[in-house]
Amino acid sequence: MTTEIEKRSLIADVEHRAADDKRTLVGYAAVFERLADIGGYFQEKIAPGAFTDAIKGDIRALVDHDMGRVIGRTKSGTLRLQEDGKGLRVEIDVPDTTDGNDLWVLVERGDISGMSFGFRVTKETWDETGDVPVRTIEKLNLLEVSAVAWPAYDDTTIGLRSLEAARAEGGEREDAEKRKAENAAAARRRIAEREARQEQQIRGIRQDAA
């Protein structure tokens, strides 16, 4: 796995609610166990529980993954994250700012209909038994969630490097197991040779005694 930031988007309905002078966007940044095609190179899914610890941190809500366009934060209560049976649920209280107002209009118009999240993988597994490798993200560090218009799959190479690292690690395990087997076989041969020499010596002693 790598320590670089990855981004994933879910293009789905984003609900907007306005009540008591508060405007809130509600949607899912991720859905569990849903296979996503990552650039045609591999498929990916997120395991339930992946966000359990990740949402305990101080997370910010952004527009289009732009760190300069903050529209919410868990520490201030304007961003609320929940891991439920479906995935990562997001609620953002949209601020009365240029970015907030623009975002609200774009969601109302249907121009923005997706949510995304930036993350670093901390635990993953790869399955290469099928035609296309499948990556399962089991644990991650959540850095931010974003309202987006386009899926963010431009970082496919990060996942591919993670796959190569997993393959290399698997190769190292195979080499270690091979060396272990070879060492065990060599030890068995040495024991057999020593026992054969001892047997030969015993036979020689018996012949001399006779």
Side-chain angles (χ1 to χ4, degrees):
M1 68 188 66
T2 73
T3 58
E4 297 175 84
I5 298 174
E6 300 186 55
K7 304 179 185 74
R8 295 292 182 267
S9 297
L10 179 66
I11 302 302
D13 290 335
V14 177
E15 181 183 351
H16 57 289
R17 305 170 180 170
D20 299 327
D21 296 326
K22 184 169 72 172
R23 301 174 302 180
T24 303
L25 297 182
V26 181
Y28 282 84
V31 174
F32 295 136
E33 300 293 354
R34 177 182 293 182
L35 281 174
D37 179 76
I38 310 300
Y41 295 99
F42 62 92
Q43 293 183 319
E44 183 179 86
K45 62 181 178 179
I46 302 174
F51 295 99
T52 301
D53 296 325
I55 60 177
K56 296 176 182 178
D58 185 14
I59 314 300
R60 288 164 175 77
L62 310 175
V63 177
D64 246 353
H65 300 289
D66 188 337
M67 298 300 293
R69 304 174 68 188
V70 178
I71 54 173
R73 185 176 179 180
T74 54
K75 186 176 181 179
S76 66
T78 54
L79 168 64
R80 294 173 294 281
L81 301 173
Q82 178 187 3
E83 182 186 68
D84 59 21
K86 181 178 179 179
L88 178 61
R89 190 173 187 272
V90 178
E91 291 189 6
I92 306 170
D93 294 336
V94 179
D96 184 14
T97 61
T98 299
D99 284 329
N101 294 331
D102 289 349
L103 174 62
W104 187 259
V105 171
L106 291 172
V107 171
E108 281 189 319
R109 283 160 46 104
D111 298 335
I112 286 183
S113 60
M115 286 192 173
S116 181
F117 63 102
F119 63 101
R120 290 190 180 97
V121 174
T122 58
K123 185 180 180 182
E124 63 183 3
T125 57
W126 287 90
D127 181 0
E128 295 190 76
T129 57
D131 295 333
V132 179
V134 176
R135 180 197 206 190
T136 300
I137 298 175
E138 299 178 358
K139 294 290 182 183
L140 54 83
N141 288 332
L142 183 62
L143 306 177
E144 48 89 3
V145 294
S146 288
V148 296
W150 297 97
Y153 291 148
D154 54 337
D155 52 4
T156 298
T157 53
I158 298 176
L160 290 176
R161 285 198 294 272
S162 182
L163 173 58
E164 292 304 317
R167 286 172 172 170
E169 183 179 343
E172 290 174 359
R173 286 197 299 268
E174 291 176 0
D175 290 343
E177 291 174 357
K178 183 178 179 180
R179 288 194 298 271
K180 184 177 179 181
E182 291 174 346
N183 292 338
R188 287 193 296 270
R189 286 196 299 270
R190 289 194 293 271
I191 293 173
E193 291 170 357
R194 184 171 64 248
E195 290 177 346
R197 288 195 298 271
Q198 291 174 347
E199 181 66 23
Q200 188 175 10
Q201 291 173 353
I202 292 173
R203 289 177 182 173
I205 293 172
R206 288 174 177 172
Q207 289 175 354
D208 293 340

